């Protein structure tokens, strides 16, 4: 077998680990049906079916598939993960979210926490499968009979004025930097101008955007890779982690408003923010060195994003040893951290609420925050593991409800706390490194399972880590009591083009609602967050156009363009250097911010690289 070429600069080492697999030649899959979009796709829909070359733009903007960053457990001190410029994305935002699009890998210098490389996750390629020779046509459209059926359904919905097509609009409960877009109303409606009325984000008279600012990538003096994860948006500032610092930038100009130095790199950052713009981070107590590549993620800090101040820093011990935590979140006035040593929590005042107990036979591996606080509690040995999904009181830690997952499921991710949605790779069956084979919709009041949704990795593009960071999910959103997922890319209508869709699942029944948002030929679409009853999504562009942010009405699924980026080559190169899968994306009020989560030394002379870029409409 021909060996693959070496990865581009800033790519991760080719060791085992969670997340997107090593740079291997893509495997040719057997013929299989594509994503079920809730209609009745013709056989073979969903993946390339005819011998075709990959999408090939002009030399100035190559569309080579990215080399995904390696995940948890890869060797320390190796170069870091960033997809090459111009690499096509698979679908989403990236944070979550932003808020973002938190990446699916562990940072340089982060301790191993007792995990083994590649723990429980297959290492197959996740790039789109190549076309198979000898197969008929690709990217088929619905036939005439199906179009008639769909038209009839729409007509019925218009007559009765209800159902999934035109549900009543709901209260805007989502946060602008919540990747999963938790909660968020009961539906969406359309106004006479084609805009949406159930969210805060309104379409400008002219959605054309320009580059507001670019923040240069920080200099890394040795061969290390340093985490720069974490980005937030307030009324006054765009806030981004740098190397051992957090910086507040003017939302329009990019000028520095404040700078907060830290003793070491940020390990993890909460995506949630309090009403008064407080958030929480984990960071190392010193900078990594070759001799000591990690000092442990032991420092818990509360940050005031308005003032640019660290309000307090706390640590937790087990015996005489500091606990290195794996994840951090925020719910109400409670900061919660989890690890293999157990979980702890502090009030925003700095008061310790709970910490690991030596007598515990189970431990809180991590927490999901936002509107509620949910713990992933692990019990039993590895070969007889059972996960308890517990909705808990954020002030006391008292368990309100509990759902016990089937024994043998080692990892689970909290997609949303209200409604409660959990993702897991049951039996390591996802097969694509996404960490998701099934979603579990749970009643947080009773702890009873509402429904289980199968989401095969070859059909859907959402991703969750779940190994250490139980809240690290992207390329998906939850709202209107529905789960919104992007499909994997498949053939478009144009020559060599690829595209995908967002579809919705009912969290009460587990069935697809029939709603579908098409990316458009050459684009790939991925959820960013909820906006009341509407879904905010990003469209990654083809080689000759700029990206878009759209609002999708929760009821009709009608798309409204909120932002259209420039199509010129230099701007497009910067935009496509940050894919929704491995970067942080934030959108609010006509502003789109993209940022990287790793900084590393450049091994070759390349175009100028950026830590963050901001786009905005007039």
């Amino acid at each position: 077998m021909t060996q693959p070429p070496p990865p581009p600069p800033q790519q991760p080492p080719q060791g085992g680990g969670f997340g997107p697999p090593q740079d291997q030649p893509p495997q040719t899959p057997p013929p299989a049906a594509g994503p079920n979009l809730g209609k009745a796709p013709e056989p073979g829909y969903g993946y390339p079916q005819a011998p075709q070359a990959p999408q090939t733009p002009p030399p100035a903007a190559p569309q080579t598939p990215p080399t995904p960053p390696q995940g948890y457990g890869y060797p320390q001190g190796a170069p870091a993960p960033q997809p090459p410029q111009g690499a096509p994305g698979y679908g989403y935002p990236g944070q979550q979210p932003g808020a973002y699009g938190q990446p699916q890998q562990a940072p340089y210098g982060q301790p191993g926490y007792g995990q083994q490389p590649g723990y429980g996750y297959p290492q197959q390629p996740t790039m789109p499968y190549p076309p198979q020779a000898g197969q008929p046509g690709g990217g088929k459209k619905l036939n005439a009979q199906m179009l008639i059926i769909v038209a009839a359904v729409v007509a019925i919905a218009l007559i009765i004025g209800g159902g999934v097509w035109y549900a009543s609009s709901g209260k805007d409960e989502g946060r602008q930097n919540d990747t999963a877009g938790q909660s968020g109303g009961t539906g969406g409606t359309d106004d006479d101008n084609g805009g949406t009325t159930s969210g805060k984000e309104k379409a400008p008279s002219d959605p054309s955007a320009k580059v507001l600012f670019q923040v240069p990538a920080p200099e890394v003096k040795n061969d290390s890779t340093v985490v720069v994860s974490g980005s937030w948006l307030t009324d006054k500032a765009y806030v981004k982690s740098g190397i051992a610092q957090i910086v507040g930038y003017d939302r329009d100009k990019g000028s520095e408003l404040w700078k907060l130095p830290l003793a070491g790199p940020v390990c993890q950052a909460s995506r949630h923010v309090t009403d008064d713009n407080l958030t929480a981070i984990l960071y190392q107590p010193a900078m990594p060195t070759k001799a000591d590549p990690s000092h442990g993620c032991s420092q818990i800090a509360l940050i005031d994003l308005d003032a640019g101040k660290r309000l307090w820093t706390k640590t937790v011990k087990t015996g005489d040893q500091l606990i290195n935590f794996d994840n951090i979140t925020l719910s109400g006035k409670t900061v919660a951290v989890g690890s293999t040593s157990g979980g702890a929590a502090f009030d925003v005042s700095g008061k310790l609420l709970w910490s690991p107990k030596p007598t515990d036979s189970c431990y809180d591996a991590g927490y999901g925050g936002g509107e509620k606080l949910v713990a992933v509690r692990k019990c039993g040995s590895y070969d007889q593991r059972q996960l308890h999904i517990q909705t808990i009181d954020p002030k006391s830690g008292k368990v309100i409800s509990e759902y016990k997952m089937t024994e043998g499921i080692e990892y689970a991710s909290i997609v949303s706390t209200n409604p409660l949605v959990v993702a897991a790779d049951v039996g390591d069956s996802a097969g694509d490194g996404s960490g998701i084979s099934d979603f579990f919709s749970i009643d947080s009041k009773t702890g009873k399972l509402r429904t289980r949704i199968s989401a095969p990795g070859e059909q859907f593009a959402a991703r969750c880590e779940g190994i250490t960071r139980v809240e690290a999910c992207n390329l998906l959103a939850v709202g209107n009591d529905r789960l919104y997922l992007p499909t994997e890319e498949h053939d478009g209508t144009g020559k060599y083009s690829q595209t995908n869709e967002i579809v919705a699942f009912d969290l009460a029944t587990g069935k697809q609602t029939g709603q579908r948002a098409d990316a458009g030929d050459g684009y790939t679409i991925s959820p960013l967050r909820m906006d009341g009853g509407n879904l905010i999504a990003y469209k990654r562009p083809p080689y000759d156009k700029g990206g878009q942010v759209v609002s999708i009405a929760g009821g009709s699924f009608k798309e409204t363009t909120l932002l259209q980026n420039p199509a010129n080559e230099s701007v497009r190169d910067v935009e496509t250097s940050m894919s929704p899968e491995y970067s942080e994306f934030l959108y609010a009020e006509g502003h789109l911010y993209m940022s990287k989560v790793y900084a590393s030394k450049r091994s070759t002379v390349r175009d100028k690289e950026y830590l963050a870029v901001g786009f905005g409409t007039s």
Side-chain angles (χ1 to χ4, degrees):
M1 179 179 293
T2 303
Q3 294 298 315
Q10 296 200 44
Q11 297 302 305
Q14 306 301 310
F18 170 83
Q22 296 92 336
D23 185 13
Q24 301 174 2
Q27 304 298 315
T28 303
N36 177 3
L37 299 178
K39 299 189 178 180
E42 296 182 15
Y45 173 81
Y47 66 94
Q49 299 182 6
Q52 296 183 6
Q55 184 174 355
T56 309
Q63 288 285 310
T64 53
T67 302
Q70 297 304 316
Y72 175 87
Y74 66 80
Q76 301 293 327
Q82 291 297 350
Q85 291 194 359
Y90 303 100
Y92 169 47
Q95 171 210 33
Q96 255 133 9
Y100 96 36
Q102 292 273 10
Q104 304 297 315
Q105 71 280 354
Y108 168 90
Q110 188 165 329
Y113 308 122
Q115 303 289 353
Q116 300 177 11
Y119 222 28
Y121 286 87
Q123 300 298 312
Q124 293 93 354
T126 58
M127 259 82 89
Y129 287 128
Q132 297 189 56
Q135 292 198 7
K140 295 184 179 180
K141 297 181 179 180
L142 293 174
N143 57 30
Q145 181 180 2
M146 184 54 61
L147 289 174
I148 292 172
I149 294 173
V150 173
V153 172
V154 175
I156 293 172
L158 288 171
I159 293 171
I160 63 176
V164 297
W165 295 94
Y166 292 95
S168 60
S169 62
K171 180 181 178 181
D172 182 5
E173 297 172 344
R175 291 198 62 87
Q176 66 187 22
N177 62 336
D178 186 348
T179 302
Q182 297 175 15
S183 181
T186 57
T189 58
D190 299 327
D191 62 27
D192 294 337
N193 298 319
T196 55
T197 58
S198 63
K200 293 181 179 178
E201 303 294 350
K202 305 301 180 184
S205 56
D206 181 4
S208 298
K210 63 179 181 180
V211 177
L212 299 176
F213 61 85
Q214 296 167 322
V215 179
E219 181 181 358
V220 178
K221 297 182 179 180
N222 51 39
D223 294 332
S224 66
T225 295
V226 181
V227 176
V228 288
S229 176
S231 58
W232 305 268
L233 195 58
T234 72
D235 294 338
K236 299 178 181 178
Y238 168 68
V239 184
K240 174 63 187 166
S241 294
I243 296 181
Q245 65 180 10
I246 299 176
V247 181
Y249 300 92
D250 183 279
R251 287 173 41 140
D252 295 307
K253 302 175 183 178
S255 54
E256 286 190 12
L257 301 178
W258 51 262
K259 182 183 295 184
L260 174 62
L262 299 170
V266 173
C267 301
Q268 303 293 337
S270 173
R271 64 185 55 170
H272 305 292
V273 177
T274 65
D275 292 338
D276 50 351
N277 289 327
L278 305 181
T279 194
I281 63 169
L282 285 170
Y283 69 97
Q284 295 189 39
M287 289 296 295
T289 62
K290 286 188 176 181
D292 196 353
S294 175
H295 298 280
C297 298
S298 59
Q299 310 296 300
I300 309 161
L302 186 72
I303 308 298
D304 185 331
L305 297 175
D306 284 335
K309 295 181 179 179
R310 181 176 50 187
L311 301 183
W312 50 254
T313 297
K314 302 291 182 180
T315 59
V316 181
K317 291 185 177 181
T318 174
D320 295 329
Q321 298 295 318
L322 288 176
I323 295 177
N324 292 320
F325 289 99
D326 302 340
N327 54 78
I328 187 166
T329 196
L330 188 64
S331 179
K333 299 294 185 181
T334 297
V335 176
V337 287
S339 73
T340 54
S341 298
F346 294 84
D347 184 85
V348 292
S349 66
K351 176 185 177 183
L352 180 66
L353 299 177
W354 67 84
S355 60
K357 299 179 178 61
T359 57
D360 281 350
S361 58
C362 304
Y363 64 92
D364 289 356
Y367 302 91
E371 293 184 31
K372 295 188 178 182
L373 186 61
V374 176
V376 175
R377 189 165 178 81
K378 293 193 174 187
C379 298
S381 59
Y382 171 71
D383 56 348
Q384 292 183 317
R385 180 79 73 206
Q386 186 171 46
L387 303 183
H388 299 190
I389 309 301
Q390 299 177 333
T391 298
I392 60 180
D393 183 324
K395 294 182 179 180
S396 66
K398 179 182 178 181
V399 177
I400 297 171
S401 67
E402 179 179 75
Y403 171 72
K404 295 181 179 180
M405 302 192 75
T406 302
E407 190 174 290
I409 299 176
E410 178 68 10
Y411 305 109
S413 299
I414 305 298
V415 176
S416 168
T417 60
N418 187 31
L420 179 52
V421 180
V422 173
D425 186 0
V426 180
D428 301 332
S429 59
D432 64 345
S434 67
I436 305 170
S437 66
D438 296 83
F439 292 93
F440 297 78
S441 175
I442 301 168
D443 188 324
S444 60
K445 294 181 180 179
T446 65
K448 294 182 179 179
L449 182 68
R450 300 174 66 196
T451 190
R452 178 170 167 176
I453 299 170
S454 175
E458 69 273 13
Q459 295 184 24
F460 301 101
R463 308 183 68 83
C464 290
E465 189 210 77
I467 295 179
T468 59
R469 297 182 298 144
V470 303
E471 208 176 20
C473 293
N474 65 0
L475 306 179
L476 78 177
V478 173
N480 303 321
D481 206 33
R482 293 167 190 162
L483 170 67
Y484 299 100
L485 299 178
T487 65
E488 288 286 358
E489 292 182 21
H490 57 79
D491 281 354
T493 57
K495 190 175 182 179
Y496 308 138
S497 72
Q498 294 281 293
T499 189
N500 76 328
E501 303 79 26
I502 291 176
V503 296
F505 288 85
D506 190 308
L507 290 175
T509 66
K511 297 179 180 179
Q512 289 193 35
T513 64
Q515 296 166 305
R516 161 176 160 169
D518 295 311
D521 205 41
Y523 290 88
T524 51
I525 189 170
S526 37
L528 290 182
R529 62 175 176 86
M530 297 303 298
D531 172 36
N534 300 333
L535 175 65
I536 305 297
Y538 171 73
K539 290 187 176 183
R540 186 173 174 86
Y543 69 89
D544 58 348
K545 297 180 181 178
Q548 297 177 349
V549 174
V550 298
S551 176
I552 302 171
S556 67
F557 248 45
K558 181 182 293 184
E559 293 184 28
T560 300
T561 301
L562 301 178
L563 178 143
Q564 170 68 62
N565 277 340
N568 67 72
E569 182 180 329
S570 60
V571 175
R572 192 176 62 248
D573 285 349
V574 173
E575 177 178 5
T576 56
S577 72
M578 301 187 190
S579 78
E581 286 184 298
Y582 307 117
S583 304
E584 297 172 346
F585 281 44
L586 291 171
Y587 175 82
E589 299 173 337
H591 292 68
L592 174 65
Y593 305 92
M594 305 175 177
S595 63
K596 295 186 177 180
V597 294
Y598 289 95
S600 61
K601 182 179 180 180
R602 280 170 278 182
S603 57
T604 60
V605 177
R606 302 176 64 188
D607 292 337
K608 190 171 184 179
E609 296 184 3
Y610 298 97
L611 173 67
V613 58
F615 298 92
T617 58
S618 300

